[in-house]
Amino acid sequence: MTPLPLDETPGPRPTGAAATAPAAAPDPAPADGVGALPSLPFRFLRPPGSTPGPAAPGSARLLRRLLVLLPVLLIVVWVVFDWRTVYDGCVRLASADPWWLLAAFFFTCLGWLSSSCVRQGALPERLPTGLLIASQFAAGAANHVLPASLGAHAVTLRFLLGRGIPLARATASLALYSLVRPIAKTLVLLVFLLTSPDLLRVGTLAPDGRTLALAAGGVAGAVTVAAVLVTAVRPLRRPLLDALRSALTDVRVLHTRPSRIVALWGGAAAAPLLQASVIFSVGAALGLTLTWAQVAFAFLAASTAVGAVPAPGGIGPIDAATVFALAAMGAPLDVAATAVIGYRVLTVWLPLLPGALALSTLVQRKVL
């Protein structure tokens, strides 16, 4: 039997016009590794350098769809178990000044922009602005599901990996973000203490020696645990050391660029002030007589004192501490509590469902 030529395949030969027509050239493989995505506008959504894999089986596709819907399902469960908070806040805010509430919503939107600025300032590479803001909006929904900002960090990590950032440098960026924000908040608080100590009644809010000792013990314990993990757990040693080297390198590079310095430190300093502006605007809508400086200092002191408590999005400990701080400033207790509830409604509950939908959309389009 004569072997077939290399460029021929067994089967019936075409006849007529089809036999004389030249064969269509195969489509060139995309350079960005998108593979068989259905439309060109989404070719950039696959991480750079990735290659298309085989089609997922039915179970994998079902799991992907469940993961896409998981944020929305978590929000529904949360609303069912904590609907009283949302209901009480909405009822009390129904009689508030709508213009002040609109100002509070404006400051809430600026908070997402400030978070995006800090994320961009923590990386030398330029990230796409639209996708960065969308990822931070989606990260806000995840941040209120898991404690200690783990949800927001997980979403941001997936976003950075999708943009081609190596894992060590992406992890170092998250560490720098987590370090800069409390430092900037503390510096802003010190500015308030130095500029107007008498007006802000520092003595009623200053922590006692026991609180300071607990805080120092917590910091020392965290440093000790990290050192023990790096020394004793061999599989963690190399990733942690790689992340530390990447962080030190990126910090040196970032602080040679004025635009990154402004984005990193300016965004981190603006974030707590914008949150305090939301509380002040809601309080003004309810008739709160405290000045903006008093409200800002009360929020800074409360969030700094209990910000290390690993609650989802800081809900709970920061709320109680902020109400106590506002009452110490001279605000009526019921008005202070309503202002904090309104703050949570505007910054958590209203954006929660849109943020979950944005998160599901970004997962479905493989941005995350």
Side-chain angles (χ1 to χ4, degrees), residues 204-254:
T204 59
L205 295 176
D208 53 10
R210 182 179 178 182
T211 303
L212 292 177
L214 289 176
V219 173
V223 173
T224 303
V225 169
V228 170
L229 288 177
V230 173
T231 305
V233 183
R234 188 177 297 273
L236 293 178
R237 186 182 308 171
R238 182 172 181 180
L240 291 176
L241 292 179
D242 290 343
L244 180 59
R245 283 193 292 265
S246 298
L248 294 177
T249 302
D250 284 352
V251 166
R252 289 195 297 266
V253 173
L254 290 171

Side-chain angles (χ1 to χ4, degrees), residues 134-329:
S135 68
Q136 294 309 295
F137 181 64
N143 189 42
H144 300 299
V145 177
L146 297 176
S149 300
L150 293 178
H153 289 332
V155 172
T156 303
L157 181 62
R158 292 293 303 171
F159 172 72
L160 296 179
L161 294 178
R163 304 314 302 170
I165 307 298
L167 178 60
R169 298 189 59 245
T171 307
S173 172
L174 298 182
L176 181 60
Y177 174 91
S178 302
L179 181 64
V180 165
R181 292 198 64 167
I183 292 177
K185 181 188 294 187
T186 304
L187 293 177
V188 173
L189 180 60
L190 291 177
V191 170
F192 273 87
L193 292 174
L194 295 175
T195 54
S196 50
D198 297 332
L199 176 64
L200 298 175
R201 301 180 186 179
V202 178
T204 59
L205 295 176
D208 53 10
R210 182 179 178 182
T211 303
L212 292 177
L214 289 176
V219 173
V223 173
T224 303
V225 169
V228 170
L229 288 177
V230 173
T231 305
V233 183
R234 188 177 297 273
L236 293 178
R237 186 182 308 171
R238 182 172 181 180
L240 291 176
L241 292 179
D242 290 343
L244 180 59
R245 283 193 292 265
S246 298
L248 294 177
T249 302
D250 284 352
V251 166
R252 289 195 297 266
V253 173
L254 290 171
H255 285 81
T256 60
R257 302 181 182 181
S259 61
R260 293 296 187 268
I261 296 175
V262 173
L264 182 64
W265 292 99
L273 296 179
L274 290 173
Q275 293 173 318
S277 299
V278 176
I279 299 177
F280 171 76
S281 299
V282 175
L286 298 170
L288 187 66
T289 57
L290 297 181
T291 64
W292 177 86
Q294 289 176 314
V295 174
F297 177 76
F299 175 76
L300 288 169
S303 59
T304 302
V306 299
V309 178
I315 298 176
I318 291 182
D319 294 343
T322 303
V323 172
F324 168 76
L326 292 175
M329 290 289 181

Side-chain angles (χ1 to χ4, degrees), residues 28-35 37 39-47:
D32 53 0
V34 173
L37 286 179
S39 57
L40 290 177
F42 301 109
R43 293 171 65 88
F44 64 95
L45 297 181
R46 190 180 296 277

Side-chain angles (χ1 to χ4, degrees), residues 71-72 74-75 78 112 135-146 151-152 155 347-348 351-360:
V72 181
L74 289 175
I75 300 310
W78 198 357
W112 301 322
S135 68
Q136 294 309 295
F137 181 64
N143 189 42
H144 300 299
V145 177
L146 297 176
V155 172
T347 59
V348 176
L352 204 52
L353 183 57
L357 294 176
L359 179 59
S360 299

Side-chain angles (χ1 to χ4, degrees), residues 42-64:
F42 301 109
R43 293 171 65 88
F44 64 95
L45 297 181
R46 190 180 296 277
S50 62
T51 56
S59 59
R61 292 177 181 176
L62 178 60
L63 179 60
R64 182 180 299 173

